[in-house]
Amino acid sequence: MIVGNGEIAEGAATEIDAADLVVRFNDCRSIETGGSRTDVVAVCNTGRPARAMLGSAEWRNSPPVAAASEIWSVRDPRKFAALRVPLSQSHPELNDFCDDYTDQFTAFCNATGKRHVVIDQSVHESVDEALRPHEPGPYVVPSSGMIVIARLLLRYPDDDIAITGFGHTGWDGHPFAAEKRLVDLYISLGRLRRIANKTLILSSQGA
């Protein structure tokens, strides 16, 4: 179960908490309406989001972070080190975007008994390749959600992988429209499913 920080399907909390593995993101805004179980927190381990999380006692001590057995860093330091120079030329305003905090997340995990996983740059590159037919246009990097979806599809190709909380909108440096088209393709192929809004389903069945 991959739970984004967007709108959660109504009535999904029970299904989320019953999953074998629940992945949430960064500050885990999906908690409560999206259930409470958290096995993995996937984090942006570079730039301002990383600095903000690591510097926040509220984040460090929050129930979902405390409950998680693993922290996944979605940005391989090798990939982002290679991106620093080209981004400094194309997006000079992102001067701290590639600042790496992976070691600090490792230290946090060591101190709290969690496993720290750095998602390999090959996953990032596979997402770039998969997005290409979907006309992404210029973008900086894929979203964390898309990286996590790709990793789980690669790791568990035969499992039931569900998503909710994915509105495919946000920062314009992510190719959200193309990501939605790619996710819809995976859903049409049966590789992924989106949790439906149960209230809407019941309403349509009763109509």
Side-chain angles (χ1 to χ4, degrees), residues 58-90:
E58 183 179 0
W59 180 83
R60 289 169 171 267
N61 298 319
S62 66
V65 172
S69 58
E70 299 186 3
I71 301 291
W72 290 2
S73 288
V74 302
R75 296 175 171 177
D76 189 320
R78 297 170 298 169
K79 180 69 176 178
F80 281 74
L83 286 173
R84 184 181 290 276
V85 171
L87 280 181
S88 70
Q89 297 168 354
S90 63

mmCIF file of all heavy atoms in Angstrom, residues 58-90:
data_model
loop_
_atom_site.group_PDB
_atom_site.id
_atom_site.type_symbol
_atom_site.label_atom_id
_atom_site.label_comp_id
_atom_site.label_asym_id
_atom_site.label_seq_id
_atom_site.Cartn_x
_atom_site.Cartn_y
_atom_site.Cartn_z
ATOM 1 N N GLU A 58 9.506 17.477 15.995
ATOM 2 C CA GLU A 58 8.139 17.012 15.755
ATOM 3 C C GLU A 58 8.134 15.884 14.735
ATOM 4 O O GLU A 58 7.423 14.882 14.903
ATOM 5 C CB GLU A 58 7.279 18.176 15.264
ATOM 6 C CG GLU A 58 5.815 17.804 15.046
ATOM 7 C CD GLU A 58 4.978 18.981 14.578
ATOM 8 O OE1 GLU A 58 5.528 20.090 14.415
ATOM 9 O OE2 GLU A 58 3.770 18.780 14.365
ATOM 10 N N TRP A 59 8.921 16.026 13.647
ATOM 11 C CA TRP A 59 9.002 14.951 12.653
ATOM 12 C C TRP A 59 9.646 13.709 13.255
ATOM 13 O O TRP A 59 9.127 12.596 13.124
ATOM 14 C CB TRP A 59 9.792 15.399 11.421
ATOM 15 C CG TRP A 59 9.890 14.323 10.374
ATOM 16 C CD1 TRP A 59 8.959 14.007 9.429
ATOM 17 C CD2 TRP A 59 10.967 13.386 10.193
ATOM 18 N NE1 TRP A 59 9.377 12.943 8.675
ATOM 19 C CE2 TRP A 59 10.608 12.540 9.110
ATOM 20 C CE3 TRP A 59 12.195 13.197 10.825
ATOM 21 C CZ2 TRP A 59 11.444 11.515 8.663
ATOM 22 C CZ3 TRP A 59 13.028 12.158 10.382
ATOM 23 C CH2 TRP A 59 12.644 11.333 9.312
ATOM 24 N N ARG A 60 10.770 13.887 13.916
ATOM 25 C CA ARG A 60 11.508 12.746 14.478
ATOM 26 C C ARG A 60 10.661 11.935 15.459
ATOM 27 O O ARG A 60 10.778 10.717 15.519
ATOM 28 C CB ARG A 60 12.768 13.250 15.194
ATOM 29 C CG ARG A 60 13.869 13.765 14.273
ATOM 30 C CD ARG A 60 14.954 14.477 15.062
ATOM 31 N NE ARG A 60 16.113 14.792 14.262
ATOM 32 C CZ ARG A 60 17.195 14.018 14.147
ATOM 33 N NH1 ARG A 60 17.242 12.874 14.793
ATOM 34 N NH2 ARG A 60 18.217 14.363 13.384
ATOM 35 N N ASN A 61 9.815 12.629 16.209
ATOM 36 C CA ASN A 61 9.035 11.967 17.254
ATOM 37 C C ASN A 61 7.592 11.700 16.858
ATOM 38 O O ASN A 61 6.807 11.230 17.683
ATOM 39 C CB ASN A 61 9.052 12.832 18.524
ATOM 40 C CG ASN A 61 10.446 13.013 19.075
ATOM 41 O OD1 ASN A 61 11.239 12.076 19.102
ATOM 42 N ND2 ASN A 61 10.774 14.229 19.516
ATOM 43 N N SER A 62 7.233 11.973 15.616
ATOM 44 C CA SER A 62 5.848 11.784 15.190
ATOM 45 C C SER A 62 5.478 10.300 15.197
ATOM 46 O O SER A 62 6.335 9.436 14.977
ATOM 47 C CB SER A 62 5.634 12.364 13.793
ATOM 48 O OG SER A 62 6.381 11.637 12.830
ATOM 49 N N PRO A 63 4.216 9.969 15.454
ATOM 50 C CA PRO A 63 3.802 8.558 15.518
ATOM 51 C C PRO A 63 4.154 7.743 14.271
ATOM 52 O O PRO A 63 4.663 6.616 14.404
ATOM 53 C CB PRO A 63 2.296 8.640 15.758
ATOM 54 C CG PRO A 63 2.117 9.926 16.489
ATOM 55 C CD PRO A 63 3.112 10.868 15.879
ATOM 56 N N PRO A 64 3.923 8.248 13.042
ATOM 57 C CA PRO A 64 4.264 7.404 11.888
ATOM 58 C C PRO A 64 5.755 7.155 11.745
ATOM 59 O O PRO A 64 6.169 6.040 11.395
ATOM 60 C CB PRO A 64 3.704 8.183 10.690
ATOM 61 C CG PRO A 64 3.555 9.588 11.170
ATOM 62 C CD PRO A 64 3.245 9.483 12.624
ATOM 63 N N VAL A 65 6.576 8.162 12.014
ATOM 64 C CA VAL A 65 8.024 7.968 11.922
ATOM 65 C C VAL A 65 8.486 7.016 13.020
ATOM 66 O O VAL A 65 9.317 6.127 12.790
ATOM 67 C CB VAL A 65 8.765 9.322 11.987
ATOM 68 C CG1 VAL A 65 10.277 9.120 12.094
ATOM 69 C CG2 VAL A 65 8.430 10.165 10.761
ATOM 70 N N ALA A 66 7.934 7.180 14.215
ATOM 71 C CA ALA A 66 8.294 6.272 15.314
ATOM 72 C C ALA A 66 7.896 4.833 15.005
ATOM 73 O O ALA A 66 8.621 3.886 15.338
ATOM 74 C CB ALA A 66 7.631 6.739 16.605
ATOM 75 N N ALA A 67 6.744 4.665 14.341
ATOM 76 C CA ALA A 67 6.246 3.312 14.053
ATOM 77 C C ALA A 67 7.002 2.636 12.919
ATOM 78 O O ALA A 67 7.079 1.403 12.865
ATOM 79 C CB ALA A 67 4.763 3.378 13.707
ATOM 80 N N ALA A 68 7.544 3.414 12.002
ATOM 81 C CA ALA A 68 8.186 2.845 10.805
ATOM 82 C C ALA A 68 9.421 2.038 11.173
ATOM 83 O O ALA A 68 10.234 2.459 11.990
ATOM 84 C CB ALA A 68 8.556 3.959 9.839
ATOM 85 N N SER A 69 9.559 0.892 10.522
ATOM 86 C CA SER A 69 10.762 0.082 10.729
ATOM 87 C C SER A 69 11.851 0.439 9.716
ATOM 88 O O SER A 69 13.020 0.080 9.914
ATOM 89 C CB SER A 69 10.429 -1.410 10.615
ATOM 90 O OG SER A 69 9.867 -1.699 9.344
ATOM 91 N N GLU A 70 11.448 1.144 8.631
ATOM 92 C CA GLU A 70 12.415 1.511 7.603
ATOM 93 C C GLU A 70 12.191 2.955 7.157
ATOM 94 O O GLU A 70 11.053 3.424 7.087
ATOM 95 C CB GLU A 70 12.310 0.593 6.381
ATOM 96 C CG GLU A 70 12.595 -0.871 6.691
ATOM 97 C CD GLU A 70 12.631 -1.739 5.435
ATOM 98 O OE1 GLU A 70 12.488 -1.203 4.320
ATOM 99 O OE2 GLU A 70 12.803 -2.963 5.585
ATOM 100 N N ILE A 71 13.288 3.627 6.825
ATOM 101 C CA ILE A 71 13.258 4.917 6.150
ATOM 102 C C ILE A 71 13.874 4.700 4.772
ATOM 103 O O ILE A 71 14.977 4.155 4.664
ATOM 104 C CB ILE A 71 14.067 5.990 6.914
ATOM 105 C CG1 ILE A 71 13.515 6.185 8.336
ATOM 106 C CG2 ILE A 71 14.089 7.305 6.135
ATOM 107 C CD1 ILE A 71 12.157 6.835 8.414
ATOM 108 N N TRP A 72 13.151 5.106 3.726
ATOM 109 C CA TRP A 72 13.683 4.979 2.359
ATOM 110 C C TRP A 72 14.059 6.362 1.848
ATOM 111 O O TRP A 72 13.208 7.252 1.765
ATOM 112 C CB TRP A 72 12.636 4.375 1.421
ATOM 113 C CG TRP A 72 12.331 2.929 1.662
ATOM 114 C CD1 TRP A 72 12.842 2.118 2.631
ATOM 115 C CD2 TRP A 72 11.403 2.123 0.915
ATOM 116 N NE1 TRP A 72 12.297 0.862 2.538
ATOM 117 C CE2 TRP A 72 11.412 0.835 1.485
ATOM 118 C CE3 TRP A 72 10.572 2.376 -0.171
ATOM 119 C CZ2 TRP A 72 10.627 -0.197 1.005
ATOM 120 C CZ3 TRP A 72 9.782 1.347 -0.654
ATOM 121 C CH2 TRP A 72 9.811 0.067 -0.077
ATOM 122 N N SER A 73 15.308 6.529 1.518
ATOM 123 C CA SER A 73 15.756 7.755 0.855
ATOM 124 C C SER A 73 15.567 7.579 -0.642
ATOM 125 O O SER A 73 16.153 6.666 -1.240
ATOM 126 C CB SER A 73 17.223 8.037 1.192
ATOM 127 O OG SER A 73 17.364 8.472 2.528
ATOM 128 N N VAL A 74 14.753 8.428 -1.251
ATOM 129 C CA VAL A 74 14.365 8.216 -2.646
ATOM 130 C C VAL A 74 15.391 8.767 -3.638
ATOM 131 O O VAL A 74 15.272 8.519 -4.839
ATOM 132 C CB VAL A 74 12.980 8.829 -2.954
ATOM 133 C CG1 VAL A 74 11.918 8.243 -2.033
ATOM 134 C CG2 VAL A 74 13.003 10.340 -2.852
ATOM 135 N N ARG A 75 16.389 9.512 -3.152
ATOM 136 C CA ARG A 75 17.329 10.170 -4.053
ATOM 137 C C ARG A 75 18.751 9.635 -3.830
ATOM 138 O O ARG A 75 19.402 9.963 -2.833
ATOM 139 C CB ARG A 75 17.278 11.683 -3.844
ATOM 140 C CG ARG A 75 15.916 12.261 -4.203
ATOM 141 C CD ARG A 75 15.797 13.742 -3.889
ATOM 142 N NE ARG A 75 14.548 14.278 -4.454
ATOM 143 C CZ ARG A 75 14.138 15.527 -4.288
ATOM 144 N NH1 ARG A 75 14.855 16.388 -3.579
ATOM 145 N NH2 ARG A 75 13.003 15.935 -4.835
ATOM 146 N N ASP A 76 19.195 8.800 -4.759
ATOM 147 C CA ASP A 76 20.548 8.244 -4.688
ATOM 148 C C ASP A 76 21.563 9.384 -4.761
ATOM 149 O O ASP A 76 21.549 10.176 -5.710
ATOM 150 C CB ASP A 76 20.751 7.272 -5.858
ATOM 151 C CG ASP A 76 22.041 6.478 -5.756
ATOM 152 O OD1 ASP A 76 23.072 7.052 -5.352
ATOM 153 O OD2 ASP A 76 22.023 5.282 -6.109
ATOM 154 N N PRO A 77 22.456 9.509 -3.768
ATOM 155 C CA PRO A 77 23.422 10.612 -3.772
ATOM 156 C C PRO A 77 24.253 10.684 -5.044
ATOM 157 O O PRO A 77 24.618 11.783 -5.492
ATOM 158 C CB PRO A 77 24.303 10.319 -2.557
ATOM 159 C CG PRO A 77 23.460 9.488 -1.657
ATOM 160 C CD PRO A 77 22.584 8.676 -2.568
ATOM 161 N N ARG A 78 24.549 9.539 -5.651
ATOM 162 C CA ARG A 78 25.347 9.551 -6.887
ATOM 163 C C ARG A 78 24.597 10.237 -8.014
ATOM 164 O O ARG A 78 25.181 11.017 -8.779
ATOM 165 C CB ARG A 78 25.701 8.111 -7.301
ATOM 166 C CG ARG A 78 26.566 7.354 -6.294
ATOM 167 C CD ARG A 78 26.650 5.879 -6.667
ATOM 168 N NE ARG A 78 25.326 5.247 -6.630
ATOM 169 C CZ ARG A 78 25.071 4.032 -7.111
ATOM 170 N NH1 ARG A 78 26.036 3.333 -7.701
ATOM 171 N NH2 ARG A 78 23.860 3.520 -7.022
ATOM 172 N N LYS A 79 23.311 9.975 -8.105
ATOM 173 C CA LYS A 79 22.492 10.587 -9.152
ATOM 174 C C LYS A 79 22.407 12.094 -8.959
ATOM 175 O O LYS A 79 22.528 12.877 -9.916
ATOM 176 C CB LYS A 79 21.088 9.970 -9.119
ATOM 177 C CG LYS A 79 20.124 10.524 -10.166
ATOM 178 C CD LYS A 79 20.517 10.097 -11.553
ATOM 179 C CE LYS A 79 19.513 10.549 -12.590
ATOM 180 N NZ LYS A 79 19.929 10.166 -13.960
ATOM 181 N N PHE A 80 22.227 12.521 -7.728
ATOM 182 C CA PHE A 80 22.037 13.938 -7.473
ATOM 183 C C PHE A 80 23.349 14.714 -7.493
ATOM 184 O O PHE A 80 23.358 15.911 -7.809
ATOM 185 C CB PHE A 80 21.229 14.140 -6.194
ATOM 186 C CG PHE A 80 19.765 13.927 -6.450
ATOM 187 C CD1 PHE A 80 19.253 12.648 -6.642
ATOM 188 C CD2 PHE A 80 18.903 14.997 -6.565
ATOM 189 C CE1 PHE A 80 17.917 12.446 -6.939
ATOM 190 C CE2 PHE A 80 17.559 14.817 -6.854
ATOM 191 C CZ PHE A 80 17.062 13.540 -7.051
ATOM 192 N N ALA A 81 24.454 14.039 -7.216
ATOM 193 C CA ALA A 81 25.752 14.683 -7.402
ATOM 194 C C ALA A 81 25.981 14.978 -8.885
ATOM 195 O O ALA A 81 26.493 16.039 -9.254
ATOM 196 C CB ALA A 81 26.869 13.789 -6.855
ATOM 197 N N ALA A 82 25.561 14.025 -9.747
ATOM 198 C CA ALA A 82 25.711 14.224 -11.194
ATOM 199 C C ALA A 82 24.768 15.303 -11.720
ATOM 200 O O ALA A 82 25.066 15.957 -12.728
ATOM 201 C CB ALA A 82 25.456 12.906 -11.924
ATOM 202 N N LEU A 83 23.637 15.510 -11.051
ATOM 203 C CA LEU A 83 22.668 16.512 -11.493
ATOM 204 C C LEU A 83 23.046 17.936 -11.077
ATOM 205 O O LEU A 83 22.526 18.904 -11.637
ATOM 206 C CB LEU A 83 21.285 16.202 -10.913
ATOM 207 C CG LEU A 83 20.513 15.024 -11.513
ATOM 208 C CD1 LEU A 83 19.252 14.751 -10.696
ATOM 209 C CD2 LEU A 83 20.151 15.308 -12.968
ATOM 210 N N ARG A 84 23.955 18.070 -10.121
ATOM 211 C CA ARG A 84 24.215 19.391 -9.535
ATOM 212 C C ARG A 84 24.647 20.414 -10.581
ATOM 213 O O ARG A 84 24.108 21.530 -10.644
ATOM 214 C CB ARG A 84 25.263 19.292 -8.424
ATOM 215 C CG ARG A 84 25.490 20.626 -7.709
ATOM 216 C CD ARG A 84 26.544 20.504 -6.625
ATOM 217 N NE ARG A 84 26.084 19.731 -5.490
ATOM 218 C CZ ARG A 84 25.362 20.232 -4.488
ATOM 219 N NH1 ARG A 84 24.989 21.511 -4.511
ATOM 220 N NH2 ARG A 84 25.006 19.475 -3.484
ATOM 221 N N VAL A 85 25.628 20.067 -11.412
ATOM 222 C CA VAL A 85 26.138 21.048 -12.380
ATOM 223 C C VAL A 85 25.097 21.394 -13.446
ATOM 224 O O VAL A 85 24.827 22.582 -13.678
ATOM 225 C CB VAL A 85 27.457 20.567 -13.018
ATOM 226 C CG1 VAL A 85 27.850 21.469 -14.176
ATOM 227 C CG2 VAL A 85 28.561 20.542 -11.968
ATOM 228 N N PRO A 86 24.471 20.403 -14.093
ATOM 229 C CA PRO A 86 23.460 20.779 -15.085
ATOM 230 C C PRO A 86 22.299 21.576 -14.495
ATOM 231 O O PRO A 86 21.788 22.503 -15.129
ATOM 232 C CB PRO A 86 22.986 19.442 -15.675
ATOM 233 C CG PRO A 86 23.575 18.379 -14.837
ATOM 234 C CD PRO A 86 24.741 18.948 -14.128
ATOM 235 N N LEU A 87 21.885 21.257 -13.263
ATOM 236 C CA LEU A 87 20.790 22.006 -12.646
ATOM 237 C C LEU A 87 21.220 23.425 -12.282
ATOM 238 O O LEU A 87 20.407 24.356 -12.330
ATOM 239 C CB LEU A 87 20.276 21.287 -11.399
ATOM 240 C CG LEU A 87 19.315 20.115 -11.620
ATOM 241 C CD1 LEU A 87 18.884 19.519 -10.296
ATOM 242 C CD2 LEU A 87 18.089 20.545 -12.413
ATOM 243 N N SER A 88 22.478 23.597 -11.940
ATOM 244 C CA SER A 88 22.956 24.945 -11.617
ATOM 245 C C SER A 88 22.874 25.859 -12.840
ATOM 246 O O SER A 88 22.750 27.080 -12.707
ATOM 247 C CB SER A 88 24.392 24.894 -11.098
ATOM 248 O OG SER A 88 25.305 24.557 -12.131
ATOM 249 N N GLN A 89 22.911 25.255 -14.014
ATOM 250 C CA GLN A 89 22.827 26.028 -15.257
ATOM 251 C C GLN A 89 21.375 26.205 -15.709
ATOM 252 O O GLN A 89 20.971 27.290 -16.135
ATOM 253 C CB GLN A 89 23.647 25.336 -16.343
ATOM 254 C CG GLN A 89 25.129 25.268 -16.011
ATOM 255 C CD GLN A 89 25.905 24.339 -16.929
ATOM 256 O OE1 GLN A 89 25.330 23.648 -17.768
ATOM 257 N NE2 GLN A 89 27.221 24.305 -16.772
ATOM 258 N N SER A 90 20.579 25.137 -15.599
ATOM 259 C CA SER A 90 19.195 25.211 -16.078
ATOM 260 C C SER A 90 18.233 25.786 -15.040
ATOM 261 O O SER A 90 17.236 26.414 -15.390
ATOM 262 C CB SER A 90 18.706 23.815 -16.501
ATOM 263 O OG SER A 90 18.682 22.932 -15.389
#
